[in-house]
Amino acid sequence: MRHKVAGRRLGRTTSHRKATMQNMAVSLIQHELIRTTVPKAKELRRVAEPIITLGKNPTLANKRIAFNRLRDRDMVVKLFAELGPRYKARNGGYLRILKMGFRQGDNAPMALVELLDRPEPADETGEKGDKKAVKKETKKESRKEAKAA
């Protein structure tokens, strides 16, 4: 029995597990959307959310603590410049974990981990899709006008 034992071992040594969580936290802050297994995603939440909470209060001490946990200067800058102000009004729960089926090779349950309230990427397909939708609406309207006339 594992009474009062917190955290998952994930089949790794302690140092490997810490390095994995550190790398995943850096990737999450950098890309704001990552794909991983469900147990790793749930464990990442325990690591990443306190770091984002640090970013809400930009003191020198918090910056040093964040750098100690992430070891990536650019991500610490992004944490305090972008993510901290974005989540200033939110009291926690900065991540969303979406289950997305099973991995092809070993059938491991996969998840998509994303930061909430992230800005929508300006993608070419989205713009083209909007233009097509507008064109369809105008065709429908023109047909209605032709029938009415």
Side-chain angles (χ1 to χ4, degrees), residues 57-65:
N57 188 12
T59 62
L60 180 61
N62 283 350
K63 290 179 182 179
R64 286 179 173 168
I65 292 169

Side-chain angles (χ1 to χ4, degrees), residues 23 42 60-61 78 93 100-102 115 147:
N23 288 332
K42 290 180 178 180
L60 180 61
K78 181 177 179 179
M100 54 179 289
F102 298 94
L115 293 176
K147 288 181 182 178

Side-chain angles (χ1 to χ4, degrees), residues 8 36-43 97 99-101 109-111:
R8 295 167 178 82
T36 184
T37 62
V38 172
K40 282 186 206 171
K42 290 180 178 180
E43 199 62 26
I97 298 174
K99 294 180 182 177
M100 54 179 289
M110 298 300 287

Side-chain angles (χ1 to χ4, degrees), residues 68-101:
N68 187 26
R69 294 187 186 164
L70 295 175
R71 304 308 291 183
D72 190 332
R73 192 172 313 259
D74 295 334
M75 293 308 108
V76 172
V77 169
K78 181 177 179 179
L79 177 69
F80 285 93
E82 293 179 27
L83 300 182
R86 185 189 306 172
Y87 297 116
K88 197 72 170 175
R90 186 179 284 272
N91 290 330
Y94 313 111
L95 303 183
R96 176 182 294 137
I97 298 174
L98 301 170
K99 294 180 182 177
M100 54 179 289

